[in-house]
Amino acid sequence: MKTNKEPLFEKLISIDNLEKAVINSAKKKTDRARVRNALKNKDRIVQRLRYLIINKKLRLPVHEGVDINDGISQKRRIIVKPYYVYELIFQWAIVQVLKPIMMKGMYKWSCGSITGRGALYGKRYLERYIKQNPKKIKYGAEADIYHFFESVDIEILKGMFKKKIRDKNMLWAINLVLDCNKIIYHGEEIDIGLPIGFYTSQWFANFYLEGLDHYIKEQLHMKCYLRY
């Protein structure tokens, strides 16, 4: 894992990055009055958030987890909803800076929660491999990490970012979000790992599993491997 020595914090607090974070985080949410108001007052929101980040005065709340039954299987999940101002905007600002760095080391066929790499992208890869290697395929396996997001060890993830990123101020910003892993759930404080509902979580999850992907491909020599 190569260490990135760029001044990432400067990119994080740039007016351009924060403005993009306001606009991008508002997509598909403009039916909410708070989001529409933020867009109307974008310059003020950006300046205030920039001040809070630079002076490290930004404080993120302790959230309360909400139960939902997700998808066709109606699997129970605990969802954590970030506040739009300033929390979700802050998450987008972080990902916009980290995305090129995380993508650089990411396994090509890691498909979950990545733009342009959805289910169809993975399906085509599997179909193509099967078609090109009909006589070589003997076995197939499907695996699942039980309650993956909840099981992520935040201290390990912090250590991974510390090895990857030299900029201490950027690490402060990342850790501020990671420390939101403690939530209130049915009146008790629990460790939720990477909160489902945070924009950062899907990216941090893929970064967390980067080593596993490379281990499976490069040391176990799995011929055809897809993670979704």
Side-chain angles (χ1 to χ4, degrees):
M1 185 183 291
K2 293 183 179 179
T3 303
N4 186 289
K5 299 179 182 179
E6 295 179 80
L8 299 177
F9 190 73
E10 293 302 313
K11 293 183 178 182
L12 175 68
I13 62 172
S14 71
I15 299 296
D16 181 61
N17 184 54
L18 295 177
E19 285 182 345
K20 285 180 180 177
V22 173
I23 293 168
N24 288 334
S25 61
K27 290 178 180 177
K28 298 181 180 180
K29 299 180 183 68
T30 51
D31 58 325
R32 305 177 192 177
R34 183 171 293 181
V35 175
R36 292 196 302 271
N37 184 61
L39 289 172
K40 289 179 182 177
N41 297 280
K42 177 165 59 67
D43 292 343
R44 181 179 61 80
I45 294 289
V46 166
Q47 290 297 338
R48 179 59 179 167
L49 179 57
R50 189 169 188 268
Y51 167 81
L52 292 172
I53 297 172
I54 290 173
N55 293 283
K56 298 184 179 178
K57 291 185 176 182
L58 183 64
R59 299 291 181 266
L60 301 183
V62 176
H63 293 278
E64 188 162 342
V66 178
D67 286 312
I68 68 163
N69 294 315
D70 190 29
I72 297 173
S73 64
Q74 292 292 287
K75 185 176 183 179
R76 184 192 65 80
R77 298 185 187 277
I78 303 172
I79 298 295
V80 180
K81 297 180 180 180
Y83 291 99
Y84 179 71
V85 181
Y86 297 95
E87 189 174 18
L88 184 59
I89 297 170
F90 181 56
Q91 290 179 14
W92 271 83
I94 289 173
V95 171
Q96 287 170 175
V97 174
L98 293 182
K99 184 177 177 179
I101 298 169
M102 292 189 286
M103 288 292 292
K104 192 175 291 184
M106 194 177 293
Y107 174 55
K108 182 178 180 180
W109 300 108
S110 170
C111 305
S113 305
I114 301 168
T115 304
R117 292 195 192 183
L120 185 58
Y121 173 86
K123 179 175 177 285
R124 286 173 175 169
Y125 164 60
L126 290 177
E127 288 175 342
R128 185 167 62 250
Y129 186 87
I130 292 169
K131 186 176 181 180
Q132 292 173 350
N133 303 276
K135 295 182 180 179
K136 294 182 180 180
I137 300 172
K138 294 182 179 180
Y139 308 103
E142 181 180 355
D144 177 63
I145 302 175
Y146 181 73
H147 285 200
F148 168 62
F149 282 83
E150 294 177 30
S151 69
V152 170
D153 188 314
I154 295 301
E155 294 307 314
I156 290 177
L157 186 52
K158 284 182 178 180
M160 291 174 65
F161 275 118
K162 191 174 181 179
K163 288 181 180 179
K164 188 78 171 180
I165 295 169
R166 181 69 59 85
D167 190 327
K168 291 183 179 179
N169 287 321
M170 189 65 195
L171 289 173
W172 167 82
I174 294 168
N175 289 344
L176 190 62
V177 174
L178 290 176
D179 285 335
C180 289
N181 62 311
K182 298 290 194 305
I183 68 165
I184 303 301
Y185 180 64
H186 291 179
E188 296 183 6
E189 185 179 86
I190 65 169
D191 186 338
I192 200 67
L194 287 175
I196 298 174
F198 278 22
Y199 180 62
T200 45
S201 291
Q202 56 197 19
W203 286 96
F204 290 176
N206 279 315
F207 177 64
Y208 191 74
L209 291 177
E210 182 182 307
L212 174 65
D213 293 334
H214 289 289
Y215 172 75
I216 289 173
K217 282 297 294 182
E218 296 161 15
Q219 295 190 44
L220 298 183
H221 305 291
M222 191 71 65
K223 296 295 183 182
C224 178
Y225 166 63
L226 169 73
R227 180 166 63 77
Y228 181 80

